[in-house]
Amino acid sequence: MKLFITASLLVVLIGTSCQHDSATAQPGGGTYATAASQTIEAADVADESVREAARLAYAEEVLRRKSTRQLPSHLRRRRYQALKVLHKYRTTGQVVVPAAAPGLLDPQGRPAALGYLMQQTGRPELPEQLNRHYHAPISAIDDASLRHWVRMSGLTMEECAMIQGAR
C-alpha cells in the first residue's frame, strides 16, 4: 500500500511540475522532482527497516526455541536478558538498516542489532571499538574482547552472526 501511495504521489508531483511555465521551471524538475525522489528514498528506507525488523523477529524466534539445557544457569539468564534486549530493540522502532559493509554501527554511529545488544549488556564501548578496526562479518573477526563478550552472553558466535545478519 505504501508503495502504491508513493508511486501515485510521484505521478502527481511530476504531473504538477510539468504544468508550470517552462521559463520559471528549474532544470531537472526543481523542488517537485527533489520532493519526489526524497519520498521514494524514504519509502525505500522504510521498506528496508520493515525487512530488517522481520529478519530480526525470525532470528529472535529461532534463538528462543533453541534448547539451553547445556548452558550453566548464569549463562541461561544472560541469554534470556540478551533476547529481551533484542526484542526491545526490534519492537521500539530502533531498527537500523545495516550498511552494505557489515558492522555494528551505521555511518551515523547508531547501533545495529548486535551493536545495541553489546551496548545494553555491559559493553557500551565494544561496538565502536570493533567498528574502528574491522569491517567484516562478526564471525570473521578475531578479537579477544569480542570472544569474551560472546562467551559471557549465553549466545554462540553463529547466533551473533544470525542477529547481525552477516552476509
Side-chain angles (χ1 to χ4, degrees):
M1 187 71 172
K2 285 182 182 177
L3 290 178
F4 176 73
I5 292 170
T6 304
S8 298
L9 181 59
L10 177 62
V11 170
V12 170
L13 289 173
I14 291 173
T16 305
S17 70
C18 292
Q19 294 173 4
H20 285 287
D21 180 36
S22 60
T24 60
Q26 295 178 352
T31 58
Y32 294 108
T34 303
S37 66
Q38 289 172 348
T39 301
I40 290 171
E41 287 174 18
D44 290 345
V45 169
D47 289 345
E48 286 297 317
S49 294
V50 168
R51 276 193 282 277
E52 179 64 6
R55 187 193 66 72
L56 288 171
Y58 173 77
E60 182 185 340
E61 182 67 24
V62 167
L63 297 177
R64 286 189 186 280
R65 291 179 180 263
K66 187 174 178 184
S67 174
T68 58
R69 288 183 181 187
Q70 78 284 2
L71 291 176
S73 62
H74 72 284
L75 289 181
R76 277 198 306 268
R77 281 192 302 275
R78 287 184 184 159
R79 179 187 179 89
Y80 174 75
Q81 284 303 116
L83 293 176
K84 279 179 58 175
V85 168
L86 180 62
H87 182 79
K88 177 184 172 191
Y89 173 83
R90 180 178 64 79
T91 58
T92 58
Q94 299 180 53
V95 174
V96 170
V97 178
L104 300 168
L105 304 172
D106 74 357
Q108 289 78 35
R110 297 174 302 182
L114 189 60
Y116 182 81
L117 198 53
M118 290 173 180
Q119 289 176 341
Q120 299 300 310
T121 57
R123 292 301 305 270
E125 77 293 344
L126 189 57
E128 187 176 332
Q129 175 188 331
L130 293 171
N131 252 27
R132 223 173 319 145
H133 299 290
Y134 305 99
H135 292 287
I138 202 78
S139 57
I141 296 175
D142 186 22
D143 183 272
S145 298
L146 173 63
R147 286 191 306 273
H148 178 73
W149 180 84
V150 170
R151 199 170 39 253
M152 299 311 293
S153 70
L155 300 167
T156 66
M157 188 62 81
E158 293 79 20
E159 291 169 336
C160 290
M162 180 188 292
I163 293 168
Q164 185 188 32
R167 295 165 183 90

